Amino acid sequence: EAPHLLDLSKRALVSLEKVGLQDHAAKVALCLDISGSMSNLYKSGKMQHFVERILALGTRFDDDGSIDVFLFGKNAHDAGELTISNSRSFINGLLNTYPLEGSTYYSKAVTLIRKHYIGSSSHRKKPAPLDVPIYVMFVTDGDTFDRDQTTKQIVNASFEPIFWQFMAIDEARKGLFGVSRKSQFNYLEQLDTLEGRYIDNAGFFSVQDPAAIPDNELYDLLMGEYPQWVKEAQVKGLLLK
């Protein structure tokens, strides 16, 4: 049905095999920044190609061949499912329904995703386990207007089986393949090492250009911290299986 995803899926599998997750089951969610500064990335087709690469990872993790998509700017939105059948025109359809917005609020998206999967975004003091984990790919090109609220949400979410993989698109930074683990996104770096959490539930890396990074490099980065989180989540009772 989607032969263009076949090679991507094979490359995703190679990265999963490297970390022993080739048989791992998870739900993949994609959370995309729709602030106005993202306009060129959407218009150029770079984000369309990127979502296809994330979908290929989702087909390896989740046998229904779909991923849930959430958006954030001034507000947060549940944008439905990205599937194999709608993948080729997904971004165009997305932007027709959700025009770009004028602000950036991470916490609104984190809150929406927690409510979607866990049923609540309230304060937590004990684990809220599920059968399978949720891997959230969170993509942004700018800092948030609500750092304090976002920090509180991530701390509370550490009691839940959700891993937050933050990726910053940092066009001002150059490096090998446009990839760097250090960037001007100091707040996201802080989330990666945030204290006071039940479990380390976040990872971070930055890219200069999401279209420039090779597929195998991208998938390796996406699996940088997640495998260790899976092990800790099992030990700490966040996963029922």
Side-chain angles (χ1 to χ4, degrees):
E1 186 176 350
H4 64 294
L5 294 178
L6 184 57
D7 285 343
L8 291 174
S9 181
K10 290 178 179 178
R11 294 184 187 115
L13 179 59
V14 170
S15 293
L16 295 177
E17 289 175 338
K18 288 180 183 179
V19 294
L21 293 182
Q22 63 272 17
D23 298 318
H24 179 67
K27 183 63 183 175
V28 176
L30 180 60
C31 188
L32 297 175
D33 187 338
I34 57 166
S35 61
S37 58
M38 292 282 292
S39 177
N40 288 338
L41 290 164
Y42 285 112
K43 289 180 179 178
S44 66
K46 291 180 179 181
M47 293 308 295
Q48 172 62 37
H49 180 52
F50 181 79
V51 301
E52 291 175 358
R53 295 202 279 180
I54 300 302
L55 177 59
L57 176 65
T59 61
R60 287 296 179 183
F61 272 168
D62 191 333
D63 62 6
D64 71 0
S66 68
I67 61 178
D68 297 324
V69 179
F70 302 88
L71 310 173
F72 67 97
K74 182 179 180 180
N75 300 298
H77 311 274
D78 182 341
E81 289 187 333
L82 168 64
T83 67
I84 292 173
S85 60
N86 73 7
S87 61
R88 283 193 179 276
S89 59
F90 187 78
I91 288 297
N92 285 337
L94 195 74
L95 295 181
N96 286 334
T97 305
Y98 303 97
L100 299 183
E101 300 177 352
S103 305
T104 306
Y105 290 91
Y106 296 171
S107 75
K108 294 181 180 181
V110 176
T111 297
L112 179 62
I113 292 169
R114 291 182 64 208
K115 288 180 178 178
H116 181 89
Y117 291 110
I118 309 299
S120 171
S121 62
S122 62
H123 177 69
R124 290 198 183 279
K125 293 184 178 180
K126 61 181 181 179
L130 293 175
D131 289 339
V132 296
I134 297 98
Y135 180 100
V136 178
M137 183 68 217
F138 195 108
V139 182
T140 184
D141 75 335
D143 201 352
T144 185
F145 290 2
D146 58 351
R147 290 187 175 191
D148 289 345
Q149 295 94 322
T150 300
T151 297
K152 290 177 182 178
Q153 284 293 318
I154 293 297
V155 170
N156 286 320
S158 69
F159 291 89
E160 300 161 356
I162 305 176
F163 181 80
W164 305 85
Q165 180 60 68
F166 293 96
M167 185 185 88
I169 300 174
D170 188 356
E171 295 179 320
R173 186 156 188 110
K174 296 181 179 179
L176 182 63
F177 301 124
V179 180
S180 174
R181 288 188 178 275
K182 296 291 184 180
S183 77
Q184 64 180 349
F185 287 81
N186 294 328
Y187 176 65
L188 288 180
E189 292 177 1
Q190 293 169 15
L191 284 186
D192 191 16
T193 59
L194 187 64
E195 295 183 355
R197 292 173 293 173
Y198 180 68
I199 186 175
D200 181 354
N201 61 339
F204 169 74
F205 64 89
S206 66
V207 300
Q208 183 188 11
D209 182 345
I213 177 172
D215 297 327
N216 61 320
E217 293 277 346
L218 175 63
Y219 290 129
D220 285 351
L221 285 167
L222 295 180
M223 291 298 106
E225 298 186 44
Y226 179 68
Q228 181 60 35
W229 175 85
V230 171
K231 294 177 182 178
E232 293 183 13
Q234 292 170 336
V235 171
K236 292 205 168 186
L238 296 180
L239 296 173
L240 297 175
K241 292 183 179 180

